[in-house]
Amino acid sequence: MANIKDLKQRISSITNTRQITNAMKMVAAAKLRKAQASAVNLRPYADETAKMIQTLRAKQTIIDHPFLSLRPKKEKILLVVLTGDKGLCGSFNSQILKKTESFLKKHPNCDIISIGKKGNDFFKKHKANVIDTFTGIFQELNHKLITEIAQELEHKYLNEDYKEVVFIYNAFKSAIESEIVHKTILPVANNDELEVKKLEYLYEPDEDTIIEELVNKYTFIEVKRALAESFAAENASRMTAMDNATENASELINTLSLEYNRERQASITTEIIEVSSGAEAINN
Amino acid sequence: MINVKVILPSGIKIDQECDSCIIPGVDGDFAVLEGHTAFITKIRPGLVTIDVKKQSTDYAIHDGFVTVEDNKVTIVSERIEKADEIDKNRAEQAMKRAKERLAQTNNSEIDFRRAESALKRAITRIRTSN
């Protein structure tokens, strides 16, 4: 049977833990609000840009642009994996890494760009072919940094033997749910989900100029979208995980307090019995 | 009636019905009325004018793309500013600064393209707020 002192100590330590998890939950919730807004607000913009490219593509039979034409002869894939910089967010990181692992099994010829500390640690352990890493960039998504990443991807795609550039990240769905997205960024894939009207469009100045400009924007927007979605999903996941942890701690404190009170009562009862039986022994 | 939608990275800024709107395309300003043909173009810095029942509202726009289809105008841009949101003094100062930078033709440290687009932005803002 547990001793009263031990119980008391455990209760106080769990209370401390609960305070920490509760604080983390609050912080994640505050960050989530901001991250969610920026991820959700960006969606129509990103979708509309992608839609314009699809529209142009639907019209022209052959578009001669390196970002739009497939490269069937090549094999190597440039994989961009987005994880969080921190843990304690449920299955957020492990799910992404599990998905990445199965992807790597299917396509062993991959170079990896890892964004987020958790991914870096994982790939180091597994000796994967990481060519570049970024950490600590989610807090402040600035224009310059996103441009840098987008340009690096474009540059590598153009100058090296990559068949495609693939992103794997968590997309924000709701506070309790996220969805793993696995998306080919380059070459710009045909997306059937976007509703493209088959109309005869007029273009100014001309198709080629417009598509050039749109495609240049596209990579930037997709990188931004991936970063924003991932950060929102991470905070949502952390909020839920910490909420569960707080709840579990409260439950544990309740059961332990019950046990503690029972023990205390039992010891008092024994003491009373001892005293009264001692008194009886003297009286007799 | 036509529907005008302006989509920015920070969300959908304008989504309204209007009688007509004027948009600065790269090859010249164009007005969209009901029944306009399907059309895609790039936007140059300038004024977007939206008319509802002869009441017109001006906006400053600096870049982006526009699609016209089925009486729907969709503008995708980094930024759009309503006339009364513009700080005219700030724009005038920015114009002065940009002009000064552009005047220093022998200084190789100056990024002329940046200064030029800053000047264009400032001029568009001043025009819109007038």
Side-chain angles (χ1 to χ4, degrees):
Chain A
M1 221 183 250
N3 143 355
I4 294 186
K5 219 174 151 195
D6 285 348
L7 278 173
K8 208 172 176 184
Q9 227 162 36
R10 269 195 81 191
I11 291 172
S12 88
S13 101
I14 293 168
T15 312
N16 282 339
T17 312
R18 182 176 65 176
Q19 230 160 39
I20 294 170
T21 56
N22 200 26
M24 282 185 76
K25 182 185 111 186
M26 300 297 193
V27 172
K31 281 188 186 162
L32 172 66
R33 213 169 306 142
K34 215 177 137 200
Q36 181 183 348
S38 70
V40 172
N41 288 339
L42 187 65
R43 280 179 196 163
Y45 185 74
D47 285 343
E48 194 57 40
T49 312
K51 201 173 132 191
M52 278 190 178
I53 295 179
Q54 300 298 348
T55 311
L56 277 154
R57 204 185 219 179
K59 191 209 172 194
Q60 268 182 315
T61 40
I62 307 157
I63 303 178
D64 191 23
H65 193 285
F67 289 160
L68 294 175
S69 36
L70 296 173
R71 297 172 151 186
K73 280 182 195 153
K74 298 183 173 163
E75 271 191 355
K76 215 170 182 185
I77 292 173
L78 181 59
L79 188 63
V80 183
V81 183
L82 282 92
T83 52
D85 286 328
K86 290 178 200 143
L88 290 179
C89 45
S91 58
F92 174 81
N93 289 315
S94 60
Q95 266 179 359
I96 280 285
L97 294 171
K98 217 187 272 166
K99 176 96 185 167
T100 311
E101 223 178 352
S102 69
F103 184 87
L104 286 175
K105 258 183 204 143
K106 252 188 262 166
H107 311 271
N109 200 357
C110 275
D111 281 351
I112 296 170
I113 291 181
S114 163
I115 301 177
K117 192 165 164 288
K118 289 284 157 183
N120 298 355
D121 297 347
F122 175 86
F123 294 126
K124 219 178 267 168
K125 218 191 281 165
H126 287 71
K127 301 206 167 53
N129 200 7
V130 179
I131 54 169
D132 205 352
T133 57
F134 294 89
T135 46
I137 63 170
F138 292 104
Q139 281 300 342
E140 271 180 69
L141 285 180
N142 62 46
H143 196 277
K144 208 174 142 202
L145 196 86
I146 300 168
T147 316
E148 207 176 282
I149 299 175
Q151 276 173 355
E152 183 180 337
L153 294 179
E154 287 175 358
H155 184 79
K156 287 219 156 78
Y157 180 74
L158 284 180
N159 297 319
E160 286 172 44
D161 272 346
Y162 292 117
K163 184 180 152 214
E164 50 194 21
V165 179
V166 177
F167 268 53
I168 294 185
Y169 62 91
N170 269 305
F172 174 80
K173 255 179 122 178
S174 69
I176 45 165
E177 213 184 346
S178 68
E179 181 187 23
I180 292 190
V181 176
H182 163 239
K183 190 173 186 185
T184 306
I185 302 292
L186 293 172
V188 181
N190 268 317
N191 189 341
D192 299 328
E193 280 171 30
L194 298 170
E195 215 181 296
V196 173
K197 295 204 178 78
K198 291 248 165 15
L199 292 173
E200 275 299 314
Y201 288 89
L202 289 177
Y203 297 94
E204 259 178 36
D206 55 81
E207 287 99 327
D208 290 337
T209 321
I210 289 194
I211 211 134
E212 178 79 39
E213 301 247 4
L214 273 174
V215 166
N216 283 341
K217 248 192 171 158
Y218 179 79
T219 341
F220 175 84
I221 293 169
E222 285 302 322
V223 172
K224 190 170 176 184
R225 189 211 292 243
L227 290 171
E229 293 277 349
S230 178
F231 191 55
E234 182 188 341
N235 279 306
S237 184
R238 177 166 298 123
M239 191 182 85
T240 323
M242 288 302 113
D243 189 41
N244 284 338
T246 310
E247 225 164 80
N248 287 345
S250 303
E251 221 167 88
L252 205 54
I253 289 170
N254 273 344
T255 21
L256 285 177
S257 308
L258 267 181
E259 206 175 311
Y260 171 77
N261 288 338
R262 206 181 300 129
E263 285 293 315
R264 197 176 56 104
Q265 193 57 56
S267 75
I268 291 168
T269 316
T270 2
E271 249 170 62
I272 290 174
I273 289 171
E274 270 167 17
V275 169
S276 64
S277 57
E280 224 159 278
I282 291 169
N283 283 345
N284 288 345
Chain B
M1 290 293 254
I2 50 177
N3 173 269
V4 185
K5 217 183 224 180
V6 179
I7 304 174
L8 307 183
S10 56
I12 296 174
K13 166 109 180 205
I14 301 170
D15 186 358
Q16 66 173 86
E17 304 293 319
C18 71
D19 297 315
S20 77
C21 68
I22 302 168
I23 296 161
V26 264
D27 289 352
D29 290 6
F30 62 96
V32 182
L33 293 162
E34 218 173 305
H36 195 284
T37 186
F39 183 58
I40 291 181
T41 188
K42 196 173 141 47
I43 288 173
R44 74 176 157 77
L47 258 70
V48 172
T49 310
I50 298 176
D51 282 339
V52 187
K53 289 178 188 148
K54 302 208 168 134
Q55 284 275 330
S56 64
T57 324
D58 285 346
Y59 297 87
I61 199 163
H62 309 292
D63 67 341
F65 295 91
V66 57
T67 317
V68 183
E69 57 182 28
D70 292 347
N71 292 328
K72 268 194 219 119
V73 179
T74 313
I75 296 172
V76 180
S77 174
E78 287 285 323
R79 191 187 294 167
I80 191 163
E81 293 149 322
K82 204 173 172 178
D84 53 20
E85 285 170 9
I86 294 169
D87 184 344
K88 202 176 162 194
N89 287 331
R90 212 182 127 197
E92 267 162 3
Q93 272 165 19
M95 182 167 83
K96 217 173 117 196
R97 265 201 315 274
K99 273 185 176 160
E100 276 166 15
R101 309 201 96 201
L102 286 170
Q104 298 172 34
T105 38
N106 49 2
N107 190 341
S108 61
E109 274 176 26
I110 288 177
D111 185 344
F112 281 98
R113 276 180 63 188
R114 233 184 100 188
E116 200 187 331
S117 59
L119 179 63
K120 274 187 191 158
R121 275 203 303 276
I123 292 173
T124 313
R125 287 196 179 115
I126 292 166
R127 261 181 64 203
T128 315
S129 62
N130 280 339

